[in-house]
Amino acid sequence: MTTGFTVIRDDTPAAAIPKGAVVAMGNFDGVHLGHRAVIGAALEMGRAHGKPALAVTFEPHPRSFFSPNSPQFRLTDETNKLRLLAATGLAGAVVMTFDKARAGTLAQDFIHHDLIERLGVSGIAVGYDFHFGKGRVGSPSLLVSEAPRLGIEVDVQAHVDIEERPVSSSAIRMALAEGQIADATMMLGGPWFVTGDVIHGEKRGRDLGYPTANIRLDKTCGLKHGIYAVRVGRGSERFDGVASFGRRPTFDNGAPLLEVFLFDFKGDLYGKVLDVAFIGFIRDELKFDSIEALIRQMDNDSARARAALAAAPDAFPKLGVIG
């Protein structure tokens, strides 16, 4: 794990900001392979300059500001985005609040005030499709044209393709919505995961011989309802399991809930925070005519999940520590 990852926010004193840093700039939802290409370019530039490399990102996601009535499925919340960034080798992240003032900032003002005056950057790495500033006028080409006058280096990364398809956060969301876990994992460079507190449920699983740790995911979560092979993290511990995400049509057809059964585990997880990584899709959510039929299917699901996890013994997202 990478330690000492520093988070700089709007209220961080200027004296606490390392001057001359190189920045990788983007929204970084999911920190996928395309993002990692930008981060890699910043790290290489930072080594050449003898300066630290930082991520510059925005919270909340700009799309949620511009479309508040159409909430989007985020691949990573702010904390998990930072944990992923902290494992890339970056020295820290600059989290800029995206609000009305930020949305109304002219691209040139953002470059001069936020990047040059406040951060004192010596280099910038961005993706080919990154835009910023009022009306999204700011672009990679604008940064490139301004670079000689400002005395900074700019690197623009092309899109990353897998099987002739561009990697993007939108493509990953679509893959997760279709239960295409292998595709999502490939584009992310590691398993997609969620983090949540274990809450009390109806305790039906206990009666069925499958006691579950229940986690309520964000209501915007677009993951396909179904059964998954999962690997669960609690601190440095790892546990294999099988999980159901959906509405439990055999019972109440209620609000979507993630129910995780850990193999070979005994203990109380209520109130604990778990990271749940999705390793494989087992099947769609189904309604069963009898409890006996459900249990038989759960036995089969568990066997398939164990096989999928055995085939990917080290699969888990690489997470860093936020300093």
Side-chain angles (χ1 to χ4, degrees):
M1 285 186 178
T2 303
T3 57
F5 184 84
T6 302
V7 179
I8 297 164
R9 299 188 182 275
D10 293 349
D11 58 358
T12 299
I17 300 173
K19 300 303 179 185
V22 169
V23 297
M25 200 158 56
N27 291 314
F28 298 121
D29 187 24
V31 194
H32 58 59
L33 291 183
H35 298 145
R36 290 173 189 271
V38 175
I39 291 165
L43 289 168
E44 186 175 337
M45 196 188 302
R47 284 190 289 270
H49 291 202
K51 296 292 185 179
L54 308 172
V56 169
T57 191
F58 305 87
E59 288 292 338
H61 194 292
R63 196 169 282 113
S64 68
F65 173 83
F66 289 116
S67 303
N69 297 321
S70 302
Q72 186 181 54
F73 170 26
R74 282 190 59 165
L75 299 174
T76 45
D77 61 17
E78 179 181 342
T79 298
N80 281 342
K81 176 169 69 173
L82 292 174
R83 293 170 76 198
L84 288 166
L85 290 172
T88 63
L90 291 169
V94 181
V95 180
M96 297 184 176
T97 302
F98 199 89
D99 53 15
K100 185 177 181 180
R102 182 82 64 197
T105 300
L106 298 175
Q108 290 281 7
D109 290 342
F110 176 80
I111 294 170
H112 289 276
H113 177 264
D114 293 289
L115 299 181
I116 302 300
E117 293 179 9
R118 178 162 166 77
L119 298 180
V121 303
S122 63
I124 302 170
V126 293
Y128 72 101
D129 59 348
F130 181 73
H131 289 80
F132 60 95
K134 184 177 181 180
R136 290 171 52 84
V137 170
S139 65
S141 60
L142 175 62
L143 290 170
V144 169
S145 67
E146 289 286 284
R149 188 170 62 81
L150 298 172
I152 63 174
E153 183 178 353
V154 172
D155 184 291
V156 180
Q157 287 291 304
H159 54 80
V160 173
D161 293 345
I162 293 179
E163 297 176 352
E164 300 183 353
R165 292 181 300 169
V167 171
S168 69
S169 298
S170 297
I172 296 166
R173 290 186 196 101
M174 187 177 298
L176 292 172
E178 295 173 350
Q180 301 294 332
I181 296 300
D183 286 352
T185 300
M186 198 179 304
M187 289 186 280
L188 285 165
W192 180 69
F193 76 107
V194 296
T195 302
D197 299 317
V198 177
I199 61 174
H200 287 275
E202 299 296 327
K203 299 182 173 57
R204 295 191 190 97
R206 183 180 302 174
D207 297 333
L208 300 174
Y210 283 91
T212 58
N214 302 318
I215 298 173
R216 187 78 66 188
L217 302 187
D218 189 278
K219 63 183 180 181
T220 63
C221 179
L223 178 68
K224 180 181 176 70
H225 290 183
I227 311 302
Y228 295 86
V230 297
R231 183 158 287 130
V232 175
R234 182 180 64 176
S236 60
E237 298 177 287
R238 299 289 179 265
F239 307 96
D240 286 355
V242 61
S244 167
F245 177 60
R247 297 182 177 276
R248 306 161 305 285
T250 302
F251 297 104
D252 59 3
N253 211 35
L257 185 69
L258 178 64
E259 301 172 282
V260 183
F261 172 68
L262 300 182
F263 302 139
D264 312 313
F265 176 84
K266 295 186 187 305
D268 183 2
L269 292 172
Y270 290 120
K272 304 297 184 186
V273 178
L274 302 181
D275 295 316
V276 182
F278 293 78
I279 310 303
F281 180 76
I282 305 297
R283 63 170 174 84
D284 290 348
E285 186 175 43
L286 301 171
K287 182 175 182 178
F288 293 88
D289 295 331
S290 69
I291 298 301
E292 292 74 21
L294 172 60
I295 293 173
R296 284 195 299 272
Q297 184 62 59
M298 291 167 74
D299 291 342
N300 181 265
D301 296 339
S302 295
R304 292 179 61 188
R306 285 183 185 271
L309 292 159
D314 301 317
F316 199 77
K318 187 178 179 183
L319 303 173
V321 176
I322 303 170

